[in-house]
mmCIF file of all heavy atoms in Angstrom:
data_model
loop_
_atom_site.group_PDB
_atom_site.id
_atom_site.type_symbol
_atom_site.label_atom_id
_atom_site.label_comp_id
_atom_site.label_asym_id
_atom_site.label_seq_id
_atom_site.Cartn_x
_atom_site.Cartn_y
_atom_site.Cartn_z
ATOM 1 N N ASP A 491 -1.826 -48.269 -7.612
ATOM 2 C CA ASP A 491 -0.675 -47.419 -7.330
ATOM 3 C C ASP A 491 0.141 -47.313 -8.616
ATOM 4 O O ASP A 491 0.891 -48.224 -8.965
ATOM 5 C CB ASP A 491 0.164 -48.029 -6.200
ATOM 6 C CG ASP A 491 1.321 -47.139 -5.778
ATOM 7 O OD1 ASP A 491 1.241 -45.918 -6.038
ATOM 8 O OD2 ASP A 491 2.298 -47.649 -5.203
ATOM 9 N N CYS A 492 -0.027 -46.208 -9.324
ATOM 10 C CA CYS A 492 0.535 -46.070 -10.667
ATOM 11 C C CYS A 492 2.020 -45.716 -10.632
ATOM 12 O O CYS A 492 2.508 -45.096 -9.686
ATOM 13 C CB CYS A 492 -0.221 -44.989 -11.443
ATOM 14 S SG CYS A 492 -1.932 -45.415 -11.793
ATOM 15 N N PRO A 493 2.745 -46.069 -11.697
ATOM 16 C CA PRO A 493 4.153 -45.691 -11.796
ATOM 17 C C PRO A 493 4.293 -44.217 -12.148
ATOM 18 O O PRO A 493 3.373 -43.609 -12.704
ATOM 19 C CB PRO A 493 4.673 -46.580 -12.933
ATOM 20 C CG PRO A 493 3.470 -46.809 -13.795
ATOM 21 C CD PRO A 493 2.300 -46.877 -12.846
ATOM 22 N N PRO A 494 5.455 -43.623 -11.845
ATOM 23 C CA PRO A 494 5.711 -42.235 -12.265
ATOM 24 C C PRO A 494 6.086 -42.211 -13.747
ATOM 25 O O PRO A 494 7.246 -42.040 -14.111
ATOM 26 C CB PRO A 494 6.875 -41.805 -11.368
ATOM 27 C CG PRO A 494 7.595 -43.090 -11.071
ATOM 28 C CD PRO A 494 6.549 -44.159 -11.021
ATOM 29 N N SER A 495 5.084 -42.381 -14.579
ATOM 30 C CA SER A 495 5.334 -42.566 -16.007
ATOM 31 C C SER A 495 4.162 -42.013 -16.799
ATOM 32 O O SER A 495 3.035 -41.941 -16.303
ATOM 33 C CB SER A 495 5.518 -44.061 -16.309
ATOM 34 O OG SER A 495 5.413 -44.323 -17.686
ATOM 35 N N LEU A 496 4.416 -41.663 -18.033
ATOM 36 C CA LEU A 496 3.353 -41.246 -18.941
ATOM 37 C C LEU A 496 3.304 -42.176 -20.153
ATOM 38 O O LEU A 496 2.834 -41.788 -21.221
ATOM 39 C CB LEU A 496 3.573 -39.796 -19.396
ATOM 40 C CG LEU A 496 3.495 -38.731 -18.304
ATOM 41 C CD1 LEU A 496 3.793 -37.352 -18.885
ATOM 42 C CD2 LEU A 496 2.139 -38.732 -17.623
ATOM 43 N N GLY A 497 3.769 -43.406 -19.978
ATOM 44 C CA GLY A 497 3.847 -44.352 -21.078
ATOM 45 C C GLY A 497 2.562 -45.130 -21.296
ATOM 46 O O GLY A 497 1.476 -44.756 -20.812
ATOM 47 N N LEU A 498 2.692 -46.249 -21.997
ATOM 48 C CA LEU A 498 1.535 -47.072 -22.339
ATOM 49 C C LEU A 498 0.873 -47.662 -21.094
ATOM 50 O O LEU A 498 -0.345 -47.854 -21.074
ATOM 51 C CB LEU A 498 1.964 -48.198 -23.289
ATOM 52 C CG LEU A 498 2.529 -47.757 -24.648
ATOM 53 C CD1 LEU A 498 2.955 -48.992 -25.461
ATOM 54 C CD2 LEU A 498 1.507 -46.929 -25.417
ATOM 55 N N SER A 499 1.667 -47.967 -20.076
ATOM 56 C CA SER A 499 1.084 -48.511 -18.848
ATOM 57 C C SER A 499 0.159 -47.498 -18.195
ATOM 58 O O SER A 499 -0.889 -47.852 -17.642
ATOM 59 C CB SER A 499 2.187 -48.939 -17.880
ATOM 60 O OG SER A 499 3.062 -47.859 -17.604
ATOM 61 N N MET A 500 0.523 -46.208 -18.265
ATOM 62 C CA MET A 500 -0.336 -45.180 -17.691
ATOM 63 C C MET A 500 -1.613 -45.030 -18.513
ATOM 64 O O MET A 500 -2.693 -44.798 -17.957
ATOM 65 C CB MET A 500 0.412 -43.849 -17.619
ATOM 66 C CG MET A 500 -0.305 -42.800 -16.771
ATOM 67 S SD MET A 500 -0.493 -43.326 -15.059
ATOM 68 C CE MET A 500 -1.976 -42.426 -14.629
ATOM 69 N N ASP A 501 -1.507 -45.166 -19.827
ATOM 70 C CA ASP A 501 -2.710 -45.161 -20.661
ATOM 71 C C ASP A 501 -3.668 -46.264 -20.216
ATOM 72 O O ASP A 501 -4.883 -46.051 -20.115
ATOM 73 C CB ASP A 501 -2.344 -45.384 -22.134
ATOM 74 C CG ASP A 501 -1.793 -44.135 -22.800
ATOM 75 O OD1 ASP A 501 -1.892 -43.048 -22.202
ATOM 76 O OD2 ASP A 501 -1.264 -44.259 -23.923
ATOM 77 N N ALA A 502 -3.109 -47.446 -19.937
ATOM 78 C CA ALA A 502 -3.945 -48.576 -19.519
ATOM 79 C C ALA A 502 -4.592 -48.309 -18.166
ATOM 80 O O ALA A 502 -5.750 -48.679 -17.924
ATOM 81 C CB ALA A 502 -3.106 -49.854 -19.471
ATOM 82 N N ALA A 503 -3.856 -47.635 -17.268
ATOM 83 C CA ALA A 503 -4.411 -47.326 -15.949
ATOM 84 C C ALA A 503 -5.539 -46.309 -16.067
ATOM 85 O O ALA A 503 -6.600 -46.464 -15.446
ATOM 86 C CB ALA A 503 -3.315 -46.801 -15.035
ATOM 87 N N VAL A 504 -5.325 -45.260 -16.858
ATOM 88 C CA VAL A 504 -6.365 -44.238 -17.031
ATOM 89 C C VAL A 504 -7.603 -44.850 -17.670
ATOM 90 O O VAL A 504 -8.741 -44.566 -17.260
ATOM 91 C CB VAL A 504 -5.828 -43.069 -17.884
ATOM 92 C CG1 VAL A 504 -6.956 -42.097 -18.223
ATOM 93 C CG2 VAL A 504 -4.709 -42.339 -17.147
ATOM 94 N N PHE A 505 -7.416 -45.708 -18.673
ATOM 95 C CA PHE A 505 -8.545 -46.372 -19.317
ATOM 96 C C PHE A 505 -9.320 -47.208 -18.293
ATOM 97 O O PHE A 505 -10.553 -47.228 -18.298
ATOM 98 C CB PHE A 505 -8.045 -47.261 -20.460
ATOM 99 C CG PHE A 505 -9.140 -47.941 -21.234
ATOM 100 C CD1 PHE A 505 -9.735 -47.312 -22.324
ATOM 101 C CD2 PHE A 505 -9.584 -49.214 -20.890
ATOM 102 C CE1 PHE A 505 -10.752 -47.934 -23.041
ATOM 103 C CE2 PHE A 505 -10.598 -49.838 -21.595
ATOM 104 C CZ PHE A 505 -11.183 -49.193 -22.668
ATOM 105 N N TYR A 506 -8.588 -47.869 -17.408
ATOM 106 C CA TYR A 506 -9.242 -48.705 -16.396
ATOM 107 C C TYR A 506 -10.092 -47.866 -15.451
ATOM 108 O O TYR A 506 -11.137 -48.315 -14.964
ATOM 109 C CB TYR A 506 -8.197 -49.481 -15.596
ATOM 110 C CG TYR A 506 -8.786 -50.484 -14.643
ATOM 111 C CD1 TYR A 506 -9.610 -51.516 -15.092
ATOM 112 C CD2 TYR A 506 -8.516 -50.418 -13.282
ATOM 113 C CE1 TYR A 506 -10.146 -52.440 -14.219
ATOM 114 C CE2 TYR A 506 -9.043 -51.337 -12.396
ATOM 115 C CZ TYR A 506 -9.869 -52.350 -12.875
ATOM 116 O OH TYR A 506 -10.413 -53.268 -11.992
ATOM 117 N N GLY A 507 -9.669 -46.630 -15.188
ATOM 118 C CA GLY A 507 -10.406 -45.782 -14.267
ATOM 119 C C GLY A 507 -11.540 -45.000 -14.897
ATOM 120 O O GLY A 507 -12.198 -44.203 -14.210
ATOM 121 N N ARG A 508 -11.798 -45.233 -16.180
ATOM 122 C CA ARG A 508 -12.868 -44.483 -16.849
ATOM 123 C C ARG A 508 -14.224 -44.841 -16.256
ATOM 124 O O ARG A 508 -14.387 -45.888 -15.616
ATOM 125 C CB ARG A 508 -12.872 -44.789 -18.352
ATOM 126 C CG ARG A 508 -13.533 -46.126 -18.679
ATOM 127 C CD ARG A 508 -13.248 -46.607 -20.071
ATOM 128 N NE ARG A 508 -14.005 -47.811 -20.368
ATOM 129 C CZ ARG A 508 -13.717 -49.006 -19.925
ATOM 130 N NH1 ARG A 508 -12.680 -49.192 -19.118
ATOM 131 N NH2 ARG A 508 -14.468 -50.038 -20.251
ATOM 132 N N ARG A 509 -15.199 -43.979 -16.484
ATOM 133 C CA ARG A 509 -16.566 -44.244 -16.030
ATOM 134 C C ARG A 509 -17.225 -45.264 -16.948
ATOM 135 O O ARG A 509 -17.286 -45.084 -18.156
ATOM 136 C CB ARG A 509 -17.377 -42.961 -16.012
ATOM 137 C CG ARG A 509 -18.726 -43.093 -15.300
ATOM 138 C CD ARG A 509 -19.623 -41.895 -15.562
ATOM 139 N NE ARG A 509 -18.891 -40.630 -15.446
ATOM 140 C CZ ARG A 509 -19.339 -39.492 -15.968
ATOM 141 N NH1 ARG A 509 -20.459 -39.464 -16.676
ATOM 142 N NH2 ARG A 509 -18.639 -38.381 -15.830
ATOM 143 N N ARG A 510 -17.724 -46.338 -16.367
ATOM 144 C CA ARG A 510 -18.369 -47.390 -17.149
ATOM 145 C C ARG A 510 -19.859 -47.103 -17.311
ATOM 146 O O ARG A 510 -20.436 -46.288 -16.591
ATOM 147 C CB ARG A 510 -18.178 -48.751 -16.483
ATOM 148 C CG ARG A 510 -16.736 -49.233 -16.460
ATOM 149 C CD ARG A 510 -16.613 -50.568 -15.765
ATOM 150 N NE ARG A 510 -15.234 -51.047 -15.767
ATOM 151 C CZ ARG A 510 -14.833 -52.141 -15.119
ATOM 152 N NH1 ARG A 510 -15.704 -52.858 -14.417
ATOM 153 N NH2 ARG A 510 -13.567 -52.514 -15.168
ATOM 154 N N ASP A 511 -20.470 -47.811 -18.241
ATOM 155 C CA ASP A 511 -21.912 -47.677 -18.455
ATOM 156 C C ASP A 511 -22.656 -47.991 -17.163
ATOM 157 O O ASP A 511 -22.399 -49.020 -16.520
ATOM 158 C CB ASP A 511 -22.378 -48.619 -19.570
ATOM 159 C CG ASP A 511 -21.867 -48.207 -20.934
ATOM 160 O OD1 ASP A 511 -21.454 -47.047 -21.079
ATOM 161 O OD2 ASP A 511 -21.872 -49.061 -21.852
ATOM 162 N N GLY A 512 -23.545 -47.119 -16.773
ATOM 163 C CA GLY A 512 -24.348 -47.334 -15.578
ATOM 164 C C GLY A 512 -23.665 -46.939 -14.284
ATOM 165 O O GLY A 512 -24.259 -47.061 -13.208
ATOM 166 N N GLU A 513 -22.451 -46.451 -14.360
ATOM 167 C CA GLU A 513 -21.718 -46.072 -13.155
ATOM 168 C C GLU A 513 -21.944 -44.590 -12.847
ATOM 169 O O GLU A 513 -21.970 -43.754 -13.754
ATOM 170 C CB GLU A 513 -20.227 -46.345 -13.337
ATOM 171 C CG GLU A 513 -19.406 -46.185 -12.069
ATOM 172 C CD GLU A 513 -17.965 -46.648 -12.250
ATOM 173 O OE1 GLU A 513 -17.507 -46.769 -13.394
ATOM 174 O OE2 GLU A 513 -17.299 -46.873 -11.222
ATOM 175 N N GLU A 514 -22.093 -44.288 -11.569
ATOM 176 C CA GLU A 514 -22.306 -42.904 -11.148
ATOM 177 C C GLU A 514 -21.056 -42.063 -11.390
ATOM 178 O O GLU A 514 -19.932 -42.539 -11.169
ATOM 179 C CB GLU A 514 -22.679 -42.837 -9.671
ATOM 180 C CG GLU A 514 -24.034 -43.433 -9.332
ATOM 181 C CD GLU A 514 -25.181 -42.596 -9.886
ATOM 182 O OE1 GLU A 514 -25.028 -41.349 -9.954
ATOM 183 O OE2 GLU A 514 -26.201 -43.171 -10.254
ATOM 184 N N PRO A 515 -21.206 -40.810 -11.820
ATOM 185 C CA PRO A 515 -20.043 -39.925 -11.953
ATOM 186 C C PRO A 515 -19.302 -39.801 -10.625
ATOM 187 O O PRO A 515 -19.917 -39.673 -9.566
ATOM 188 C CB PRO A 515 -20.659 -38.591 -12.375
ATOM 189 C CG PRO A 515 -21.962 -38.950 -13.020
ATOM 190 C CD PRO A 515 -22.463 -40.148 -12.270
ATOM 191 N N GLY A 516 -17.982 -39.864 -10.680
ATOM 192 C CA GLY A 516 -17.178 -39.710 -9.482
ATOM 193 C C GLY A 516 -17.006 -40.973 -8.666
ATOM 194 O O GLY A 516 -16.331 -40.943 -7.626
ATOM 195 N N ALA A 517 -17.581 -42.090 -9.093
ATOM 196 C CA ALA A 517 -17.384 -43.341 -8.364
ATOM 197 C C ALA A 517 -15.983 -43.887 -8.615
ATOM 198 O O ALA A 517 -15.326 -44.408 -7.709
ATOM 199 C CB ALA A 517 -18.434 -44.366 -8.764
ATOM 200 N N SER A 518 -15.515 -43.776 -9.845
ATOM 201 C CA SER A 518 -14.176 -44.208 -10.226
ATOM 202 C C SER A 518 -13.472 -43.034 -10.892
ATOM 203 O O SER A 518 -14.102 -42.062 -11.298
ATOM 204 C CB SER A 518 -14.250 -45.393 -11.191
ATOM 205 O OG SER A 518 -14.855 -46.513 -10.578
ATOM 206 N N GLY A 519 -12.150 -43.149 -11.013
ATOM 207 C CA GLY A 519 -11.422 -42.075 -11.683
ATOM 208 C C GLY A 519 -10.022 -41.899 -11.144
ATOM 209 O O GLY A 519 -9.472 -42.787 -10.477
ATOM 210 N N ALA A 520 -9.461 -40.720 -11.414
ATOM 211 C CA ALA A 520 -8.076 -40.422 -11.081
ATOM 212 C C ALA A 520 -7.972 -39.585 -9.815
ATOM 213 O O ALA A 520 -8.617 -38.544 -9.697
ATOM 214 C CB ALA A 520 -7.407 -39.683 -12.240
ATOM 215 N N LEU A 521 -7.163 -40.059 -8.877
ATOM 216 C CA LEU A 521 -6.833 -39.312 -7.668
ATOM 217 C C LEU A 521 -5.374 -38.868 -7.818
ATOM 218 O O LEU A 521 -4.471 -39.710 -7.879
ATOM 219 C CB LEU A 521 -7.012 -40.194 -6.429
ATOM 220 C CG LEU A 521 -6.790 -39.523 -5.075
ATOM 221 C CD1 LEU A 521 -7.850 -38.460 -4.818
ATOM 222 C CD2 LEU A 521 -6.825 -40.568 -3.958
ATOM 223 N N ILE A 522 -5.153 -37.581 -7.911
ATOM 224 C CA ILE A 522 -3.825 -37.057 -8.231
ATOM 225 C C ILE A 522 -3.136 -36.594 -6.951
ATOM 226 O O ILE A 522 -3.679 -35.785 -6.200
ATOM 227 C CB ILE A 522 -3.930 -35.899 -9.234
ATOM 228 C CG1 ILE A 522 -4.648 -36.366 -10.510
ATOM 229 C CG2 ILE A 522 -2.541 -35.364 -9.568
ATOM 230 C CD1 ILE A 522 -4.869 -35.269 -11.525
ATOM 231 N N VAL A 523 -1.936 -37.123 -6.732
ATOM 232 C CA VAL A 523 -1.161 -36.798 -5.535
ATOM 233 C C VAL A 523 -0.061 -35.812 -5.909
ATOM 234 O O VAL A 523 0.701 -36.041 -6.858
ATOM 235 C CB VAL A 523 -0.550 -38.064 -4.917
ATOM 236 C CG1 VAL A 523 0.209 -37.725 -3.635
ATOM 237 C CG2 VAL A 523 -1.640 -39.091 -4.623
ATOM 238 N N VAL A 524 0.032 -34.722 -5.165
ATOM 239 C CA VAL A 524 1.024 -33.682 -5.433
ATOM 240 C C VAL A 524 1.671 -33.254 -4.119
ATOM 241 O O VAL A 524 1.231 -33.636 -3.036
ATOM 242 C CB VAL A 524 0.385 -32.452 -6.120
ATOM 243 C CG1 VAL A 524 -0.270 -32.834 -7.437
ATOM 244 C CG2 VAL A 524 -0.637 -31.782 -5.186
ATOM 245 N N GLN A 525 2.702 -32.446 -4.250
ATOM 246 C CA GLN A 525 3.271 -31.776 -3.098
ATOM 247 C C GLN A 525 3.137 -30.269 -3.274
ATOM 248 O O GLN A 525 2.883 -29.791 -4.383
ATOM 249 C CB GLN A 525 4.748 -32.153 -2.925
ATOM 250 C CG GLN A 525 4.968 -33.566 -2.431
ATOM 251 C CD GLN A 525 6.434 -33.861 -2.163
ATOM 252 O OE1 GLN A 525 7.273 -32.971 -2.198
ATOM 253 N NE2 GLN A 525 6.734 -35.124 -1.898
ATOM 254 N N ALA A 526 3.290 -29.568 -2.182
ATOM 255 C CA ALA A 526 3.189 -28.104 -2.236
ATOM 256 C C ALA A 526 4.529 -27.516 -2.661
ATOM 257 O O ALA A 526 5.242 -26.876 -1.880
ATOM 258 C CB ALA A 526 2.747 -27.556 -0.879
ATOM 259 N N GLU A 527 4.897 -27.749 -3.925
ATOM 260 C CA GLU A 527 6.110 -27.200 -4.506
ATOM 261 C C GLU A 527 5.950 -27.172 -6.021
ATOM 262 O O GLU A 527 5.024 -27.767 -6.563
ATOM 263 C CB GLU A 527 7.356 -27.974 -4.063
ATOM 264 C CG GLU A 527 7.204 -29.485 -4.025
ATOM 265 C CD GLU A 527 7.240 -30.126 -5.388
ATOM 266 O OE1 GLU A 527 8.061 -29.714 -6.220
ATOM 267 O OE2 GLU A 527 6.427 -31.018 -5.644
ATOM 268 N N ASP A 528 6.851 -26.480 -6.728
ATOM 269 C CA ASP A 528 6.636 -26.151 -8.129
ATOM 270 C C ASP A 528 6.728 -27.342 -9.079
ATOM 271 O O ASP A 528 6.002 -27.407 -10.068
ATOM 272 C CB ASP A 528 7.635 -25.072 -8.573
ATOM 273 C CG ASP A 528 7.397 -23.743 -7.861
ATOM 274 O OD1 ASP A 528 6.267 -23.536 -7.390
ATOM 275 O OD2 ASP A 528 8.337 -22.936 -7.792
ATOM 276 N N SER A 529 7.626 -28.301 -8.822
ATOM 277 C CA SER A 529 7.801 -29.396 -9.774
ATOM 278 C C SER A 529 6.551 -30.271 -9.864
ATOM 279 O O SER A 529 6.280 -30.862 -10.903
ATOM 280 C CB SER A 529 9.022 -30.242 -9.402
ATOM 281 O OG SER A 529 8.870 -30.805 -8.114
ATOM 282 N N SER A 530 5.784 -30.351 -8.786
ATOM 283 C CA SER A 530 4.534 -31.110 -8.832
ATOM 284 C C SER A 530 3.556 -30.472 -9.811
ATOM 285 O O SER A 530 2.786 -31.172 -10.480
ATOM 286 C CB SER A 530 3.889 -31.178 -7.448
ATOM 287 O OG SER A 530 4.498 -32.147 -6.639
ATOM 288 N N ALA A 531 3.571 -29.152 -9.902
ATOM 289 C CA ALA A 531 2.670 -28.458 -10.823
ATOM 290 C C ALA A 531 3.014 -28.792 -12.267
ATOM 291 O O ALA A 531 2.126 -28.992 -13.107
ATOM 292 C CB ALA A 531 2.736 -26.959 -10.587
#
Side-chain angles (χ1 to χ4, degrees):
D491 185 22
C492 294
S495 165
L496 296 178
L498 298 178
S499 56
M500 192 61 208
D501 282 349
V504 172
F505 183 88
Y506 187 59
R508 79 195 186 284
R509 191 192 316 161
R510 294 179 179 174
D511 291 342
E513 189 172 18
E514 293 291 327
S518 297
L521 184 66
I522 303 177
V523 182
V524 301
Q525 288 185 8
E527 41 76 41
D528 294 338
S529 60
S530 281

